[in-house]
Amino acid sequence: MGKPTGFIDSGREPPERRPVTERRGDYREFYLPWGEAQAQEQGSRCMDCAVPFCHMGCPLGNVIPDFNHQVYKGDWKGALATLLATNNFPEFTGRVCPAPCEASCVLSINSDPVTIEYIEKEIVERGYENGWIKAEPPAERTGKKVAVVGSGPAGLAAAQQLNRAGHLVTVIERAGYIGGLLALGIPEFKLEKNIVQRRVDLMAEEGITFLTNINVGVDYPVDRLLSEFDAVCLACGSTQARELDVPGRDLDGVHLAMEYLSQQNRVLSGEQVSDEERIEAEGKVVVILGGGDTGADCLGTALRQGAEVVHQLELLAEPPDQRPASNPWPQWPMVLRSSPAHEEGGIRDYSILTKSFSGSNGKLEKLHAVRVEWQEGEPGTRPSMVEIPASEFEIETELTLLAMGFLHPEQDGMLAQIGVDLDGRGNIALDENRMSSVPGVFAAGDAARGQSLVVWAIAEGRETARAIDLHLMGKTSLPHSLPNHG
Ligand SMILES: Cc1cc2nc3c(=O)[nH]c(=O)nc-3n(C[C@H](O)[C@H](O)[C@H](O)COP(=O)(O)OP(=O)(O)OC[C@H]3O[C@@H](n4cnc5c(N)ncnc54)[C@H](O)[C@@H]3O)c2cc1C
């Protein structure tokens, strides 16, 4: 703890966001850079608690008080080493993580938590600027070959760890871009794609092979996958979107959020999209169904495309502003969350059930909905949804985006052909060694865990890499990552 009174002397001051009017005119990141003195002052707020709950909050077990101290002292290189010891990609988590570490920071009991996420970003960006982050090819190769299917954060973390353990790693990706949702889901205004590419280039320099536009199970037979590699890590994500089975769903103008977001990211990367395919919000009334992060990403994108007005509707009730007594610190606070995109415009509404869509000539014109009430039942049971009589209403809309979450990985194709067992939620079932029911086939990230977060995907990728190394070599020096695995 560099400065014993830091948390008394200074308040929480995150970096400033660019003005809303400027942001809405481009796809650049929300945040302005921090100055060094500001980052150091924020690092000084860490209390170096006897029990650092932030460790428990971070799925990667980041050694947060140590790097806060190093930042306060101006030891940026030391801070980088501390951070990289547990986190392969702080440049991603430092930008998009919802920061469960901050929710469990002890300061947040009666004050504002340390700005851990932004400190992370400052450390890693200084690492790149100063040339401290370099390719780290392994000193020796083991001769073992590992395939990683899927190039999202789980696949990338597994690939980097396995490569560092000396295995020859090939990442196989069906999209034309490496990065999974980092590249094609999360919008540029949260994570610019040159940040993803910078890391992919380093990993290629470390000796990892990246293959794109190869859909395993379609363009690449699973028999070949299983015979050519000594082990396989399935990091194929949770890509089966939750659908809305109501009349009119097939009208032109109703799209899944990922169709919309990934197209926009592809367009910004310079791809040409035909007029018939293009999903544009310009001049339209846009409705987003789903009040979560994906919905907020659609909101920010629609506003940048020039939507006339954007409604973001959520089926569940509006969360409280403050933690309820039943949700105390250090639990994740179940409170209303706003993304920077919410500062930019849009109308949020809650407890709304969409009943149908209508239109003419096959084109969407209206959304029909009803207001609902969530009634508490017996203790231990879920609240039940009741439609409020005479509360039906409609919104004239030409573009509606379904951002209602994801169910599980796509079960047909590759997974069915490999024959892995699924768990009760439809995800890839794993044993205590993170191996699936098929020997030598492991899994990581959303494909095994269900829809989650980048930080969890990295943690899962690291843990699965350790399990694969142990399986191949009978021993491993790769570290554990997941809290219940060591
Ligand atoms: C719009 C959106 C915004 C999000 N924003 C955030 C955020 O701000 N912060 C956060 O922490 N989390 C966010 N998330 C969640 C986060 O992105 C995911 O939890 C994370 O990317 C999961 O990583 P993964 O590697 O398991 O899978 P993914 O990132 O989904 O990657 C899986 C990859 O596997 C590939 N694949 C699938 N099947 C095959 C096959 N048969 N052959 C070859 N390749 C295949 C896919 O093309 C994909 O590239 C967001 C999610 C979405 C949808």
Side-chain angles (χ1 to χ4, degrees):
M1 184 182 188
K3 190 178 183 196
T5 57
F7 67 98
I8 300 167
D9 300 342
S10 311
R12 178 184 163 99
E13 275 183 35
E16 277 180 37
R17 291 198 272 271
R18 294 191 295 126
V20 165
T21 44
E22 181 185 314
R23 264 153 51 190
R24 279 182 60 158
D26 64 35
Y27 287 83
R28 309 276 325 279
E29 269 183 28
F30 294 123
Y31 289 98
L32 291 165
W34 244 352
E36 181 165 15
Q38 207 179 342
Q40 286 180 280
E41 182 185 326
Q42 293 300 304
S44 81
R45 295 186 68 237
C46 177
M47 302 189 295
D48 192 16
C49 306
V51 179
F53 282 84
C54 50
H55 284 206
M56 184 198 80
C58 176
L60 288 162
N62 282 349
V63 194
I64 293 161
D66 287 23
F67 68 63
N68 281 335
H69 172 75
Q70 288 163 313
V71 165
Y72 171 64
K73 291 285 181 190
D75 176 12
W76 291 97
K77 202 168 183 183
L80 181 68
T82 306
L83 183 53
L84 291 178
T86 54
N87 185 352
N88 300 64
F89 313 125
E91 66 269 43
F92 307 151
T93 50
R95 288 176 165 82
V96 302
C97 194
C101 54
E102 293 185 16
S104 53
C105 170
V106 176
L107 254 184
S108 69
I109 296 176
N110 62 352
S111 178
D112 295 323
V114 176
T115 51
I116 302 167
E117 183 186 5
Y118 309 114
I119 289 175
E120 226 181 277
K121 181 178 162 194
E122 284 296 310
I123 296 170
V124 68
E125 287 309 319
R126 277 184 166 69
Y128 276 107
E129 272 159 36
N130 290 297
W132 299 329
I133 300 183
K134 295 194 183 80
E136 291 178 40
E140 285 176 20
R141 289 283 175 193
T142 61
K144 304 281 185 195
K145 295 200 291 181
V146 184
V148 175
V149 182
S151 67
L156 292 180
Q160 191 176 67
Q161 293 294 94
L162 287 163
N163 186 60
R164 288 186 174 165
H167 308 303
L168 278 172
V169 182
T170 303
V171 176
I172 310 176
E173 169 57 56
R174 70 180 171 190
Y177 302 82
I178 294 295
L181 290 170
L182 299 171
L184 285 178
I186 298 176
E188 292 260 359
F189 49 80
K190 277 165 64 180
L191 176 64
E192 290 180 17
K193 301 314 157 196
N194 59 335
I195 303 291
V196 182
Q197 194 56 46
R198 179 177 67 180
R199 178 57 77 171
V200 174
D201 290 345
L202 267 181
M203 291 174 68
E205 213 180 312
E206 287 172 347
I208 296 169
T209 303
F210 290 100
L211 305 178
T212 51
N213 295 309
I214 295 180
N215 192 348
V216 177
V218 178
D219 318 309
Y220 194 103
V222 299
D223 292 350
R224 189 171 154 202
L225 186 77
L226 300 180
S227 62
E228 285 187 359
F229 293 93
D230 298 295
V232 172
C233 174
L234 300 175
C236 51
S238 173
T239 45
Q240 188 72 53
R242 182 171 286 114
E243 259 296 349
L244 184 65
D245 190 15
V246 298
R249 161 66 182 91
D250 54 351
L251 285 167
D252 183 11
V254 184
H255 295 276
L256 291 173
M258 273 303 293
E259 293 169 357
Y260 179 63
L261 294 173
S262 65
Q263 186 188 82
Q264 183 58 34
N265 280 353
R266 289 194 284 115
V267 167
L268 290 172
S269 298
E271 262 190 55
Q272 297 294 322
V273 174
S274 66
D275 288 350
E276 300 85 73
E277 266 184 282
R278 184 76 175 123
I279 313 170
E280 277 261 47
E282 189 176 355
K284 292 180 183 166
V285 175
V286 179
V287 178
I288 298 161
L289 298 183
D293 279 346
T294 304
D297 291 348
C298 290
L299 168 70
T301 305
L303 292 171
R304 279 162 182 73
Q305 288 185 349
E308 189 185 316
V309 55
V310 186
H311 298 266
Q312 189 181 7
L313 310 182
E314 167 59 47
L315 175 64
L316 299 175
E318 182 169 359
D321 284 336
Q322 302 288 328
R323 285 170 181 276
S326 58
N327 176 221
W329 176 93
Q331 288 176 9
W332 178 247
M334 308 300 277
V335 294
L336 179 67
R337 270 165 216 293
S338 296
S339 147
H342 290 115
E343 291 168 353
E344 298 169 356
I347 302 158
R348 285 201 268 186
D349 209 344
Y350 293 84
S351 299
I352 289 168
L353 174 68
T354 301
K355 302 287 278 188
S356 64
F357 300 103
S358 63
S360 57
N361 302 322
K363 290 198 186 306
L364 173 69
E365 288 175 352
K366 279 183 191 166
L367 172 144
H368 304 266
V370 64
R371 293 194 178 273
V372 298
E373 198 173 45
W374 290 93
Q375 294 180 348
E376 294 297 330
E378 295 295 310
T381 62
R382 288 168 178 233
S384 55
M385 186 182 77
V386 180
E387 290 183 23
I388 300 175
S391 69
E392 292 81 4
F393 68 99
E394 50 190 44
I395 301 176
E396 289 189 12
T397 168
E398 290 162 88
L399 177 61
T400 291
L401 302 165
L402 309 180
M404 301 174 307
F406 299 84
L407 298 172
H408 44 61
E410 289 157 49
Q411 297 167 346
D412 299 337
M414 175 178 72
L415 296 189
Q417 289 169 32
I418 297 177
V420 289
D421 286 349
L422 302 174
D423 66 17
R425 291 163 60 219
N427 301 316
I428 301 170
L430 299 181
D431 67 14
E432 65 282 7
N433 299 314
R434 303 198 59 79
M435 189 150 72
S436 74
S437 56
V438 176
V441 177
F442 296 73
D446 284 7
R449 182 181 176 78
Q451 179 193 7
S452 186
L453 298 172
V454 169
V455 67
W456 273 110
I458 299 172
E460 290 242 335
R462 288 170 67 86
E463 191 68 37
T464 298
R466 184 184 192 280
I468 292 174
D469 190 34
L470 188 59
H471 168 77
L472 292 175
M473 308 304 290
K475 61 188 170 71
T476 181
S477 54
L478 292 177
H480 276 295
S481 188
L482 297 181
N484 58 346
H485 280 80

